Amino acid sequence: MARRSLTGSSTGGGPAATKLGGVTEPVISVSELRCKYASYEAVRGIDFEVHRGELFALLGTNGAGKTTTLETVEGHRKPSAGRVRVFGLDPFHDRAEVRRRTGIMLQDSGFAADLTVLETLRLWRSVQTRKGDVAAVLAATRLEDRADRRVRQLSGGERRRLEFALAVLGQPELLFLDEPTTGLDPESRRATWEVVRELLRGGTTVLLTTHYLEEAESLAHRLAIMHEGRIAVSGTLSDVLLSERAKISFTADAEPQLPPLSGTVSVSGRQVTVRTAQLQRDLELLLAWARENQVQLRQLRAHHASLEDVFHSVKQPEAIR
């Protein structure tokens, strides 16, 4: 028997988009957001939008302000300055209306330890406006064989999967995922990704924070990387990767006298690294030079920037650029 879908039988639906004057309004709109704790400004004037049916990944270095940003968008705190809108509403002042249309997975949730997994899901379903399929959620999160187990008996990874199950149970229009796969084994992580993809296909909008860069690469339509309270780089994955130069590296038999290259060359003994915005051109020049001079380029590697490269560049700009 086929597994029941979390999003129902419709494949192209999802919630109706919010319209303003015939133009589709972003599900989330953040403009000049600032958040302070006493004299410390954790978020220093950021702007971003999240559109219906997309997954937006908000990444950041430690202390970058992404958790504060997420809490503000969720309506848990009032911004110190700037404007935040969710479904066109103020998530702080209109929290009740916004909350019934959203699912939230926090980094740590409180459970009634003596309830079973099934009882926990049924209790949560009973207080929601949007009713979900408990059996489908149990199957999707691989908790079927834990349905009658008490919450206090669950492992850390199983509790994390239950937190995810509660967040998606109500078939939310907007889903907030704060480090959703922390503590999960690789198989459970991939299963979680597939559930998220199914929700996206059904029209759910997702705002994700994660420390797993491969998670953002796999799932995100667009992303932003925060550093010291500001957004350092944002856009589609392609846009973000193009913000960092490609890399050519090799080891030569002796310290080489290289041809003129467009990129920045660093030589440490026999180890050579080239950072370039013109990967193909510089690689062709290097290979032609090596042939003409009978130089063996050992351990030759050439690749465009990864998200890890960009993230490292944001953290330590002078070490990369």
Side-chain angles (χ1 to χ4, degrees):
M1 181 181 296
R3 178 171 65 83
R4 280 177 286 185
S5 169
L6 294 178
T7 55
S9 58
S10 174
T11 58
T18 306
K19 298 278 188 176
L20 284 180
V23 178
T24 302
E25 181 189 22
V27 174
I28 298 173
S29 177
V30 175
S31 177
E32 282 297 311
L33 174 63
R34 293 180 178 272
C35 300
K36 287 185 176 182
Y37 298 92
S39 61
Y40 174 69
E41 191 170 39
V43 180
R44 305 176 182 182
I46 66 170
D47 305 87
F48 67 90
E49 293 181 345
V50 184
H51 299 276
R52 176 185 177 273
E54 77 171 351
L55 187 146
F56 187 93
L58 187 63
L59 311 178
T61 57
N62 290 333
K66 66 181 186 300
T67 297
T68 299
T69 299
L70 191 65
E71 291 174 348
T72 306
V73 176
E74 290 169 345
H76 296 308
R77 66 171 61 252
K78 186 178 181 180
S80 303
R83 183 178 185 271
V84 178
R85 292 294 181 267
V86 177
F87 305 120
L89 303 170
D90 183 322
F92 185 79
H93 293 290
D94 304 313
R95 188 183 310 173
E97 172 62 19
V98 170
R99 183 67 189 89
R100 72 176 186 83
R101 301 169 66 180
T102 61
I104 298 177
M105 182 181 180
L106 303 174
Q107 290 189 30
D108 187 26
S109 300
F111 293 122
D114 288 327
L115 292 181
T116 67
V117 169
L118 182 58
E119 289 169 343
T120 300
L121 284 165
R122 285 176 172 170
L123 176 63
W124 186 241
R125 184 182 187 275
S126 70
V127 300
Q128 289 187 308
T129 303
R130 300 166 64 90
K131 306 299 182 183
D133 187 328
V134 170
V137 169
L138 279 171
T141 54
R142 303 191 177 189
L143 287 170
E144 288 172 302
D145 62 347
R146 297 292 188 269
D148 295 324
R149 181 165 294 190
R150 298 191 188 281
V151 170
R152 58 180 165 80
Q153 297 174 312
L154 299 178
S155 68
E158 289 166 346
R159 288 174 65 93
R160 200 67 184 137
R161 280 149 55 193
L162 179 56
E163 290 166 342
F164 179 65
L166 294 176
V168 304
L169 178 61
Q171 303 175 28
E173 296 179 50
L174 171 61
L175 179 61
F176 294 101
L177 297 176
D178 193 1
E179 308 289 347
T181 59
T182 298
L184 298 187
D185 60 79
E187 184 178 356
S188 296
R189 186 173 297 134
R190 287 191 294 271
T192 299
W193 293 0
E194 187 48 47
V195 175
V196 172
R197 291 189 183 101
E198 181 183 337
L199 291 166
L200 290 168
R201 289 192 292 269
T204 298
T205 304
V206 181
L207 179 57
L208 166 76
T209 69
T210 180
H211 283 298
Y212 295 112
L213 298 182
E214 71 273 19
E215 191 160 87
E217 286 183 305
S218 176
L219 295 173
H221 298 96
R222 293 186 302 116
L223 59 91
I225 301 177
M226 292 186 67
H227 181 58
E228 296 181 344
R230 297 182 174 88
I231 290 179
V233 60
S234 65
T236 65
L237 181 60
S238 295
D239 292 336
V240 169
L241 295 183
L242 286 174
S243 71
E244 184 56 56
R245 290 173 291 177
K247 180 180 178 181
I248 304 170
S249 62
F250 61 91
T251 301
D253 291 331
E255 187 169 328
Q257 298 296 318
L258 298 177
L261 301 173
S262 66
T264 302
V265 179
S266 61
V267 180
S268 178
R270 293 181 299 161
Q271 179 65 41
V272 180
T273 302
V274 181
R275 295 279 180 178
T276 176
Q278 300 184 51
L279 178 60
Q280 181 173 333
R281 175 187 179 277
D282 281 351
L283 183 58
E284 288 174 347
L285 285 172
L286 275 172
L287 292 174
W289 167 83
R291 277 195 308 270
E292 292 172 6
N293 293 275
Q294 297 183 334
V295 174
Q296 184 72 31
L297 303 181
R298 304 185 189 279
Q299 299 177 314
L300 175 64
R301 296 187 63 196
H303 59 86
H304 288 286
S306 66
L307 190 53
E308 183 176 356
D309 292 329
V310 178
F311 195 83
H312 184 58
S313 176
V314 167
K315 290 176 64 177
Q316 299 176 324
E318 297 305 318
I320 297 294
R321 298 188 181 278

